[in-house]
Amino acid sequence: MISSKIVGGLVGNPVIPGDKSISHRSIIIPSISNGNCEINNILKSEDVLHTLNAFKNMGVNIEEFENKILINGKGLNSLKKPKKEIYLGNSGTSARLLAGLLSSQNFKSVLTGDASLSKRPMKRISDPLSKMNAIINTKNGCLPMYIEGQNLISTNIEISIPSAQIKSGVILAALNTSGITKIIENNITRDHTEIMLEDFQADITFEKEGNKKIIKINGKKELTAKDINVPSDLSSSAFFIVGALINKNSNLILKNININPSRNGILIALNKMGANIKFNNTRKVNNEDVCDIEVQSSELKGCELDEDISKLMIDEYPIISIAAAFANSPSIFRGLSELRVKESDRLSLIQHNLKNCGVSCEVQDDDLYIYPSKEYNVVNPNIKTDFDHRIAMAFAIMGTRIGSLIIEDSLSINTSFPTFIKEFNGIGGNLS
Ligand code: S3P
């Protein structure tokens, strides 16, 4: 994909697809509930379709339509042993959540993925599950995961790595385990699993103690299906928001965006940078916070973000780094070790590609420093993405200001935002 400078600003109402995290959960949770569930605005991207196919392969009755799906769930123990390995492509969320769910089912299964997912750490999910007696063998801590599903034991599990995927995997294991599983989450992370399970009448409670969250699940209680309207994805919106902020004469309205406070760090950070963003029509949909976002071109200042906020915006560092490159003072983003184990080593790729774009920046330990300037001379227009969708989309936005960037392996965009190019060009973008 080539991203070229734009003439004029970004103007209009682009359609942002359904939230990726909520879409995965909108397949997993109805599949183990009782009753019919209609799911609207579900994201039909590669990652989510891998989750969908996994449940079809486990015998769940799923009907697909243009922008909705229907799932007829038959309860916690209704899944059938899959006939073959479950291939999850690039999707870390599918791998971690399914590891938890399948470890408490009464059959064996194998999870596999593409080259990038096969390098990502899986012991972070198999270790806490093994405390519940789960039997999961990994290949040197990575995929394939060989899961010998069986009855697990309820216990107390402390989660020290800030990860909603690990927390959600353990919650899904606990749902089909007798007794009370207590999860101590040492860092608060996105809570879509807890919100949806509460809506589906799971026996789940949670309380917050400072930065910690205690979740208790009383297992073996059947879930009751409910219809779901998936709100649109803030992480996908962020590319358009930053695109509008850094290009003069821009004005965008993004409708129906999820602004769940456990993952709205990008909005807090952009506010600190002086971004002109308005939140209209704020409301609750399936207990998730939703609103319409209006964003206009803004004079941005640099900002310092500490490690705490990283848990609320872990997917947004590629794009906030682009915003920082066009601010009028330096930025420091601290505590980004988790960025190294995403779809790529994002911390290295942000630094590598910013430097090639002529932006002065450095990484010290796990902190990223960006020193913006008024003009950039591109050193090398080839943007290395290692097949990471968020690196590809972030540098597509960079191209709107500094001219022709060649984004390598940009097909990865299909993992989370298949309509990105169409929507972006529809508001004045220049991607080919
Ligand atoms: C996700 C959690 C985050 C995020 C990922 C989606 C989820 O990962 O990076 O894109 O849906 O639970 P971690 O929980 O591993 O940080």
Side-chain angles (χ1 to χ4, degrees), residues 20-21 25 93 162-165 190 314-315 342 390:
K20 182 155 79 70
S21 295
R25 289 151 174 87
T93 305
S163 166
Q165 295 180 352
R190 67 187 71 189
I314 194 65
D315 290 340
K342 291 294 173 185
R390 298 201 199 279

Side-chain angles (χ1 to χ4, degrees), residues 103-323:
S103 63
S104 66
Q105 293 288 321
N106 232 342
F107 51 77
K108 289 185 185 171
S109 52
V110 182
L111 302 181
T112 64
D114 70 8
S116 147
L117 185 60
S118 301
K119 282 192 226 134
R120 295 179 66 188
M122 293 298 153
K123 269 181 87 64
R124 54 174 53 203
I125 181 67
S126 61
D127 278 352
L129 290 169
S130 68
K131 300 209 169 95
M132 299 173 74
N133 272 1
I135 305 177
I136 301 179
N137 287 305
T138 63
K139 189 179 166 201
N140 300 325
C142 297
L143 292 182
M145 270 195 275
Y146 301 91
I147 303 172
E148 289 186 31
Q150 58 163 351
N151 287 334
L152 304 183
I153 51 161
S154 52
T155 181
N156 295 349
I157 311 244
E158 186 166 345
I159 300 178
S160 299
I161 301 172
S163 166
Q165 295 180 352
I166 301 175
K167 166 180 67 178
S168 301
V170 175
I171 292 177
L172 291 170
L175 284 177
N176 202 23
T177 300
S178 298
I180 294 179
T181 303
K182 180 172 161 191
I183 299 170
I184 303 114
E185 197 188 24
N186 285 336
N187 301 276
I188 291 175
T189 62
R190 67 187 71 189
D191 61 359
H192 305 302
T193 307
E194 298 93 300
I195 290 180
M196 195 178 288
L197 282 175
E198 210 178 23
D199 220 22
F200 276 58
Q201 292 172 33
D203 194 343
I204 181 168
T205 59
F206 23 89
E207 60 199 72
K208 288 187 183 156
E209 276 175 21
N211 250 1
K212 284 191 185 191
K213 184 170 171 185
I214 318 283
I215 304 162
K216 286 185 192 150
I217 301 125
N218 190 6
K220 293 280 181 197
K221 172 166 187 289
E222 290 291 340
L223 309 175
T224 307
K226 223 173 147 198
D227 290 344
I228 301 171
N229 288 305
V230 180
S232 296
D233 197 318
L234 178 61
S235 299
S236 298
S237 310
F239 302 106
F240 290 73
I241 293 174
V242 171
L245 290 171
I246 64 171
N247 281 289
K248 289 213 170 78
N249 302 317
S250 295
N251 191 341
L252 296 179
I253 294 181
L254 310 171
K255 293 212 164 131
N256 193 35
I257 310 300
N258 180 247
I259 48 164
N260 180 319
S262 64
R263 64 179 283 203
N264 68 357
I266 181 70
L267 300 172
I268 298 169
L270 289 173
N271 181 45
K272 268 180 116 173
M273 295 176 82
N276 186 349
I277 301 177
K278 292 193 189 81
F279 305 99
N280 301 324
N281 196 12
T282 308
R283 57 205 184 269
K284 290 257 186 207
V285 177
N286 294 108
N287 283 331
E288 289 278 355
D289 291 299
V290 174
C291 78
D292 302 333
I293 290 181
E294 188 176 350
V295 52
Q296 281 166 357
S297 330
S298 304
E299 183 70 33
L300 297 178
K301 16 182 220 252
C303 76
E304 204 174 323
L305 300 179
D306 62 18
E307 188 176 353
D308 279 350
I309 197 171
S310 70
K311 287 118 199 174
L312 311 182
M313 56 177 289
I314 194 65
D315 290 340
E316 279 65 72
Y317 284 96
I319 190 60
I320 198 159
S321 301
I322 306 301

Side-chain angles (χ1 to χ4, degrees), residues 4 105 288 299 315-316 345 351 365 374 377-378 384:
S4 306
Q105 293 288 321
E288 289 278 355
E299 183 70 33
D315 290 340
E316 279 65 72
D345 177 344
Q351 184 193 25
D365 300 324
K374 285 214 159 55
N377 294 318
V378 176
K384 183 173 182 245

